[in-house]
Amino acid sequence: EVQLVESGGGLVQPGGSLRLSCVASGFTFSNYGMSWVRQAPGKGREWVSTITRGGETFYADSVKGRFTISRDNAKNTLYLQMNTLKTEDTAVYYCATDRGRWTLVAGWRPEFGYWGQGTQVTVSS
């Protein structure tokens, strides 16, 4: 059974940091690109970042320079280090497998597969 379990969310003040984790099981983690996607209250899901099987990383403009995606294939774990958090980063954050690709015209074109249940991140003073 495929499982993706996120953790590390919480309440943080603007300017603060959080590190999200996503532990994968039930599939060969190293064979998959992995992404973080978020959904703010009342809005649709927004792609945040991707790390490919080979370790290439891609970011949405809204988080570039503040967030860092990484993976540890030995631990079947995906990470998202979030620094200089803003109130607009408030959302439920999901990890997902992603077989997408980079395009010059549209940037990262995701192709999501398996999803986790999400972890809440709230940025508020």
PDB file of all heavy atoms in Angstrom, residues 37-47 62 87-92 94:
ATOM      1  N   VAL A  37       2.882  20.640  -2.771  1.00  0.00           N
ATOM      2  CA  VAL A  37       1.748  21.403  -3.285  1.00  0.00           C
ATOM      3  C   VAL A  37       1.013  21.958  -2.076  1.00  0.00           C
ATOM      4  O   VAL A  37       0.933  21.281  -1.047  1.00  0.00           O
ATOM      5  CB  VAL A  37       0.818  20.499  -4.121  1.00  0.00           C
ATOM      6  CG1 VAL A  37      -0.377  21.278  -4.643  1.00  0.00           C
ATOM      7  CG2 VAL A  37       1.586  19.852  -5.268  1.00  0.00           C
ATOM      8  N   ARG A  38       0.481  23.155  -2.180  1.00  0.00           N
ATOM      9  CA  ARG A  38      -0.240  23.716  -1.047  1.00  0.00           C
ATOM     10  C   ARG A  38      -1.616  24.205  -1.465  1.00  0.00           C
ATOM     11  O   ARG A  38      -1.858  24.496  -2.638  1.00  0.00           O
ATOM     12  CB  ARG A  38       0.555  24.856  -0.405  1.00  0.00           C
ATOM     13  CG  ARG A  38       0.720  26.095  -1.271  1.00  0.00           C
ATOM     14  CD  ARG A  38       1.656  27.086  -0.586  1.00  0.00           C
ATOM     15  NE  ARG A  38       1.833  28.307  -1.377  1.00  0.00           N
ATOM     16  CZ  ARG A  38       2.695  29.273  -1.058  1.00  0.00           C
ATOM     17  NH1 ARG A  38       3.453  29.172   0.026  1.00  0.00           N
ATOM     18  NH2 ARG A  38       2.794  30.345  -1.834  1.00  0.00           N
ATOM     19  N   GLN A  39      -2.496  24.289  -0.487  1.00  0.00           N
ATOM     20  CA  GLN A  39      -3.846  24.804  -0.724  1.00  0.00           C
ATOM     21  C   GLN A  39      -4.214  25.752   0.408  1.00  0.00           C
ATOM     22  O   GLN A  39      -4.360  25.312   1.559  1.00  0.00           O
ATOM     23  CB  GLN A  39      -4.855  23.669  -0.835  1.00  0.00           C
ATOM     24  CG  GLN A  39      -6.241  24.155  -1.216  1.00  0.00           C
ATOM     25  CD  GLN A  39      -7.158  23.027  -1.661  1.00  0.00           C
ATOM     26  OE1 GLN A  39      -6.934  21.870  -1.348  1.00  0.00           O
ATOM     27  NE2 GLN A  39      -8.192  23.373  -2.421  1.00  0.00           N
ATOM     28  N   ALA A  40      -4.328  27.017   0.061  1.00  0.00           N
ATOM     29  CA  ALA A  40      -4.728  28.027   1.034  1.00  0.00           C
ATOM     30  C   ALA A  40      -6.251  28.000   1.189  1.00  0.00           C
ATOM     31  O   ALA A  40      -6.968  27.523   0.313  1.00  0.00           O
ATOM     32  CB  ALA A  40      -4.263  29.395   0.562  1.00  0.00           C
ATOM     33  N   PRO A  41      -6.755  28.544   2.298  1.00  0.00           N
ATOM     34  CA  PRO A  41      -8.209  28.548   2.535  1.00  0.00           C
ATOM     35  C   PRO A  41      -8.952  29.234   1.392  1.00  0.00           C
ATOM     36  O   PRO A  41      -8.611  30.353   0.997  1.00  0.00           O
ATOM     37  CB  PRO A  41      -8.338  29.343   3.839  1.00  0.00           C
ATOM     38  CG  PRO A  41      -7.031  29.178   4.510  1.00  0.00           C
ATOM     39  CD  PRO A  41      -6.004  29.095   3.426  1.00  0.00           C
ATOM     40  N   GLY A  42      -9.932  28.549   0.850  1.00  0.00           N
ATOM     41  CA  GLY A  42     -10.768  29.127  -0.196  1.00  0.00           C
ATOM     42  C   GLY A  42     -10.122  29.199  -1.568  1.00  0.00           C
ATOM     43  O   GLY A  42     -10.679  29.811  -2.482  1.00  0.00           O
ATOM     44  N   LYS A  43      -8.955  28.576  -1.727  1.00  0.00           N
ATOM     45  CA  LYS A  43      -8.243  28.633  -3.011  1.00  0.00           C
ATOM     46  C   LYS A  43      -7.949  27.230  -3.522  1.00  0.00           C
ATOM     47  O   LYS A  43      -8.086  26.245  -2.800  1.00  0.00           O
ATOM     48  CB  LYS A  43      -6.933  29.418  -2.856  1.00  0.00           C
ATOM     49  CG  LYS A  43      -7.131  30.873  -2.492  1.00  0.00           C
ATOM     50  CD  LYS A  43      -5.821  31.627  -2.532  1.00  0.00           C
ATOM     51  CE  LYS A  43      -6.019  33.098  -2.224  1.00  0.00           C
ATOM     52  NZ  LYS A  43      -4.740  33.859  -2.286  1.00  0.00           N
ATOM     53  N   GLY A  44      -7.547  27.162  -4.778  1.00  0.00           N
ATOM     54  CA  GLY A  44      -7.178  25.893  -5.366  1.00  0.00           C
ATOM     55  C   GLY A  44      -5.778  25.481  -4.979  1.00  0.00           C
ATOM     56  O   GLY A  44      -5.040  26.239  -4.335  1.00  0.00           O
ATOM     57  N   ARG A  45      -5.421  24.265  -5.346  1.00  0.00           N
ATOM     58  CA  ARG A  45      -4.086  23.789  -5.039  1.00  0.00           C
ATOM     59  C   ARG A  45      -3.047  24.514  -5.888  1.00  0.00           C
ATOM     60  O   ARG A  45      -3.266  24.781  -7.068  1.00  0.00           O
ATOM     61  CB  ARG A  45      -4.006  22.277  -5.245  1.00  0.00           C
ATOM     62  CG  ARG A  45      -4.769  21.516  -4.174  1.00  0.00           C
ATOM     63  CD  ARG A  45      -4.573  20.032  -4.271  1.00  0.00           C
ATOM     64  NE  ARG A  45      -5.224  19.357  -3.148  1.00  0.00           N
ATOM     65  CZ  ARG A  45      -5.206  18.055  -2.932  1.00  0.00           C
ATOM     66  NH1 ARG A  45      -4.573  17.259  -3.789  1.00  0.00           N
ATOM     67  NH2 ARG A  45      -5.817  17.526  -1.902  1.00  0.00           N
ATOM     68  N   GLU A  46      -1.916  24.808  -5.266  1.00  0.00           N
ATOM     69  CA  GLU A  46      -0.820  25.546  -5.905  1.00  0.00           C
ATOM     70  C   GLU A  46       0.457  24.725  -5.816  1.00  0.00           C
ATOM     71  O   GLU A  46       0.892  24.362  -4.709  1.00  0.00           O
ATOM     72  CB  GLU A  46      -0.625  26.903  -5.211  1.00  0.00           C
ATOM     73  CG  GLU A  46       0.553  27.696  -5.725  1.00  0.00           C
ATOM     74  CD  GLU A  46       0.911  28.894  -4.846  1.00  0.00           C
ATOM     75  OE1 GLU A  46       0.456  28.940  -3.690  1.00  0.00           O
ATOM     76  OE2 GLU A  46       1.644  29.768  -5.312  1.00  0.00           O
ATOM     77  N   TRP A  47       1.066  24.472  -6.960  1.00  0.00           N
ATOM     78  CA  TRP A  47       2.358  23.800  -6.961  1.00  0.00           C
ATOM     79  C   TRP A  47       3.394  24.693  -6.296  1.00  0.00           C
ATOM     80  O   TRP A  47       3.459  25.894  -6.575  1.00  0.00           O
ATOM     81  CB  TRP A  47       2.775  23.480  -8.391  1.00  0.00           C
ATOM     82  CG  TRP A  47       4.188  23.003  -8.510  1.00  0.00           C
ATOM     83  CD1 TRP A  47       4.674  21.770  -8.195  1.00  0.00           C
ATOM     84  CD2 TRP A  47       5.314  23.764  -8.972  1.00  0.00           C
ATOM     85  NE1 TRP A  47       6.026  21.716  -8.435  1.00  0.00           N
ATOM     86  CE2 TRP A  47       6.444  22.936  -8.904  1.00  0.00           C
ATOM     87  CE3 TRP A  47       5.472  25.075  -9.418  1.00  0.00           C
ATOM     88  CZ2 TRP A  47       7.714  23.357  -9.283  1.00  0.00           C
ATOM     89  CZ3 TRP A  47       6.728  25.508  -9.793  1.00  0.00           C
ATOM     90  CH2 TRP A  47       7.840  24.644  -9.725  1.00  0.00           C
ATOM     91  N   SER A  62       6.793  32.350  -6.109  1.00  0.00           N
ATOM     92  CA  SER A  62       6.352  32.877  -4.820  1.00  0.00           C
ATOM     93  C   SER A  62       7.200  32.376  -3.649  1.00  0.00           C
ATOM     94  O   SER A  62       7.171  32.977  -2.561  1.00  0.00           O
ATOM     95  CB  SER A  62       4.887  32.521  -4.583  1.00  0.00           C
ATOM     96  OG  SER A  62       4.706  31.111  -4.625  1.00  0.00           O
ATOM     97  N   THR A  87       2.540  35.568   5.816  1.00  0.00           N
ATOM     98  CA  THR A  87       1.160  35.179   6.105  1.00  0.00           C
ATOM     99  C   THR A  87       0.519  34.472   4.910  1.00  0.00           C
ATOM    100  O   THR A  87      -0.297  33.565   5.087  1.00  0.00           O
ATOM    101  CB  THR A  87       0.325  36.397   6.498  1.00  0.00           C
ATOM    102  OG1 THR A  87       0.420  37.386   5.473  1.00  0.00           O
ATOM    103  CG2 THR A  87       0.811  36.992   7.824  1.00  0.00           C
ATOM    104  N   GLU A  88       0.936  34.869   3.701  1.00  0.00           N
ATOM    105  CA  GLU A  88       0.358  34.245   2.503  1.00  0.00           C
ATOM    106  C   GLU A  88       0.861  32.830   2.265  1.00  0.00           C
ATOM    107  O   GLU A  88       0.409  32.163   1.328  1.00  0.00           O
ATOM    108  CB  GLU A  88       0.609  35.114   1.261  1.00  0.00           C
ATOM    109  CG  GLU A  88       2.044  35.516   1.055  1.00  0.00           C
ATOM    110  CD  GLU A  88       2.342  36.919   1.590  1.00  0.00           C
ATOM    111  OE1 GLU A  88       1.888  37.243   2.716  1.00  0.00           O
ATOM    112  OE2 GLU A  88       3.049  37.671   0.878  1.00  0.00           O
ATOM    113  N   ASP A  89       1.787  32.348   3.074  1.00  0.00           N
ATOM    114  CA  ASP A  89       2.221  30.954   2.999  1.00  0.00           C
ATOM    115  C   ASP A  89       1.285  30.029   3.775  1.00  0.00           C
ATOM    116  O   ASP A  89       1.448  28.805   3.717  1.00  0.00           O
ATOM    117  CB  ASP A  89       3.642  30.793   3.542  1.00  0.00           C
ATOM    118  CG  ASP A  89       4.674  31.509   2.695  1.00  0.00           C
ATOM    119  OD1 ASP A  89       4.580  31.450   1.456  1.00  0.00           O
ATOM    120  OD2 ASP A  89       5.593  32.126   3.288  1.00  0.00           O
ATOM    121  N   THR A  90       0.343  30.604   4.493  1.00  0.00           N
ATOM    122  CA  THR A  90      -0.616  29.802   5.248  1.00  0.00           C
ATOM    123  C   THR A  90      -1.405  28.899   4.310  1.00  0.00           C
ATOM    124  O   THR A  90      -2.018  29.383   3.347  1.00  0.00           O
ATOM    125  CB  THR A  90      -1.570  30.700   6.032  1.00  0.00           C
ATOM    126  OG1 THR A  90      -0.832  31.415   7.028  1.00  0.00           O
ATOM    127  CG2 THR A  90      -2.670  29.887   6.696  1.00  0.00           C
ATOM    128  N   ALA A  91      -1.370  27.598   4.567  1.00  0.00           N
ATOM    129  CA  ALA A  91      -2.018  26.627   3.684  1.00  0.00           C
ATOM    130  C   ALA A  91      -1.843  25.232   4.272  1.00  0.00           C
ATOM    131  O   ALA A  91      -1.055  25.027   5.200  1.00  0.00           O
ATOM    132  CB  ALA A  91      -1.400  26.667   2.288  1.00  0.00           C
ATOM    133  N   VAL A  92      -2.576  24.293   3.696  1.00  0.00           N
ATOM    134  CA  VAL A  92      -2.290  22.886   3.927  1.00  0.00           C
ATOM    135  C   VAL A  92      -1.254  22.475   2.875  1.00  0.00           C
ATOM    136  O   VAL A  92      -1.449  22.739   1.689  1.00  0.00           O
ATOM    137  CB  VAL A  92      -3.546  22.015   3.816  1.00  0.00           C
ATOM    138  CG1 VAL A  92      -3.188  20.539   3.991  1.00  0.00           C
ATOM    139  CG2 VAL A  92      -4.581  22.441   4.847  1.00  0.00           C
ATOM    140  N   TYR A  94       0.865  19.552   0.968  1.00  0.00           N
ATOM    141  CA  TYR A  94       0.807  18.154   0.588  1.00  0.00           C
ATOM    142  C   TYR A  94       2.091  17.759  -0.132  1.00  0.00           C
ATOM    143  O   TYR A  94       2.632  18.555  -0.909  1.00  0.00           O
ATOM    144  CB  TYR A  94      -0.350  17.896  -0.375  1.00  0.00           C
ATOM    145  CG  TYR A  94      -1.714  18.251   0.139  1.00  0.00           C
ATOM    146  CD1 TYR A  94      -2.231  19.526  -0.030  1.00  0.00           C
ATOM    147  CD2 TYR A  94      -2.504  17.295   0.770  1.00  0.00           C
ATOM    148  CE1 TYR A  94      -3.488  19.858   0.430  1.00  0.00           C
ATOM    149  CE2 TYR A  94      -3.779  17.610   1.226  1.00  0.00           C
ATOM    150  CZ  TYR A  94      -4.259  18.895   1.053  1.00  0.00           C
ATOM    151  OH  TYR A  94      -5.511  19.211   1.513  1.00  0.00           O
TER     152      TYR A  94
END
